[in-house]
Amino acid sequence: DIQMTQSPPSLSASVGDRVTITCRASQGISNDLAWYQQRPGKVPTVLIYGASTLQSGVPSRFSGSGSGTDFTLTISSLQPEDVATYYCQKYDSAPWTFGQGTKVEIK
Amino acid sequence: QVHLVESGGGVVQPGGSLRLSCAASGFTFSSYGFHWVRQAPGKGLDWVALVSNDGSQKFYGDSVKGRFTISRDNSKNTLFLQMDSLTSEDTAVYYCAKVSWPSKSARSFLDYWGQGTLVTVSS
């Protein structure tokens, strides 16, 4: 099975900072990758799919890039409401594995 | 609007069984595949199972294969997860989630999630 490895496990940044989270697949998955945000105590919601397509209603400060095995989620200017755990997920085929998550906090 | 409501969670003893349901509304249920995803307390997301829109294809994560069964009733707009031989490792919030593209369960991300139902396996 393909493994999904996220880094870092957690980060702390200041409001307005640029934040980057990476996700690496152990084998190529084309661009069949989604990013989800889970705010504390809330249900996950999709931010990005197809590695780089912003889901409707998601603020433009979020962006995604990558293809094959290496992917990146970027928050261009961190806001207080972005405090959350972020997960990548492969959806090319079974199993639909999630990364371990990256917890983002405000410094 | 899409609405997914899970039910059936609760406390069950190790070795016991539980059946979760997910009632769907606001879209053509029979056109979309569904996942179950779980989250143990304080842990990350763990993919459990997928059923295709017509119920003909089912996939399971290794940790639940042979113990859990995913199914659906398209006449009642309801998704199910039958969980048998439960262990403490199955303690988690269980979410149902809809795939994004109709009639295309693979290569579809999860666009809507329910609020989840808590399953606690404890003696």
Side-chain angles (χ1 to χ4, degrees):
Chain A
D1 292 347
I2 297 174
Q3 307 302 312
M4 305 300 291
T5 305
Q6 275 184 245
S7 61
S10 65
L11 65 89
S12 181
S14 299
V15 172
D17 281 355
R18 184 181 184 88
V19 168
T20 299
I21 299 168
T22 64
C23 177
R24 175 163 289 177
S26 59
Q27 296 176 44
I29 58 171
S30 185
N31 66 340
D32 292 331
L33 184 106
W35 290 95
Y36 301 88
Q37 177 192 62
Q38 186 177 32
R39 292 184 170 121
K42 300 299 185 182
V43 176
T45 59
V46 61
L47 295 173
I48 287 170
Y49 63 92
S52 60
T53 302
L54 204 64
Q55 175 72 332
S56 176
V58 173
S60 59
R61 63 180 180 274
F62 291 93
S63 64
S65 64
S67 183
T69 59
D70 294 309
F71 303 88
T72 300
L73 173 70
T74 300
I75 308 173
S76 61
S77 177
L78 187 67
Q79 300 301 305
E81 59 266 32
D82 300 335
V83 168
T85 301
Y86 295 83
Y87 297 92
C88 62
Q89 186 202 25
K90 63 177 282 295
Y91 58 86
D92 61 320
S93 61
W96 283 264
T97 308
F98 290 90
Q100 308 95 313
T102 296
K103 187 174 183 178
V104 174
E105 298 175 321
I106 300 291
K107 194 181 293 182
Chain B
Q1 66 282 21
V2 174
H3 203 211
L4 302 173
V5 179
E6 301 93 336
S7 61
V11 180
V12 59
Q13 291 189 337
S17 298
L18 213 54
R19 189 193 198 200
L20 306 183
S21 299
C22 172
S25 61
F27 62 100
T28 304
F29 182 77
S30 60
S31 293
Y32 293 87
F34 276 86
H35 294 264
W36 286 100
V37 176
R38 67 184 180 181
Q39 187 169 36
K43 302 297 184 182
L45 301 174
D46 181 30
W47 176 74
V48 173
L50 165 77
V51 63
S52 60
N53 65 298
D54 61 0
S56 63
Q57 292 182 296
K58 302 177 183 181
F59 300 90
Y60 298 93
D62 286 343
S63 60
V64 307
K65 205 172 293 184
R67 300 187 300 122
F68 289 13
T69 303
I70 190 171
S71 62
R72 61 191 296 158
D73 185 341
N74 284 349
S75 69
K76 295 183 179 178
N77 290 358
T78 305
L79 173 75
F80 302 102
L81 185 68
Q82 177 67 40
M83 304 186 296
D84 299 321
S85 303
L86 286 162
T87 75
S88 59
E89 301 293 303
D90 298 314
T91 293
V93 174
Y94 285 74
Y95 298 101
C96 65
K98 170 186 162 294
V99 306
S100 52
W101 311 124
S103 304
K104 190 182 177 185
S105 298
R107 305 199 74 183
S108 288
F109 61 96
L110 283 57
D111 64 351
Y112 287 94
W113 299 55
Q115 291 298 308
T117 187
L118 176 62
V119 173
T120 302
V121 184
S122 173
S123 54

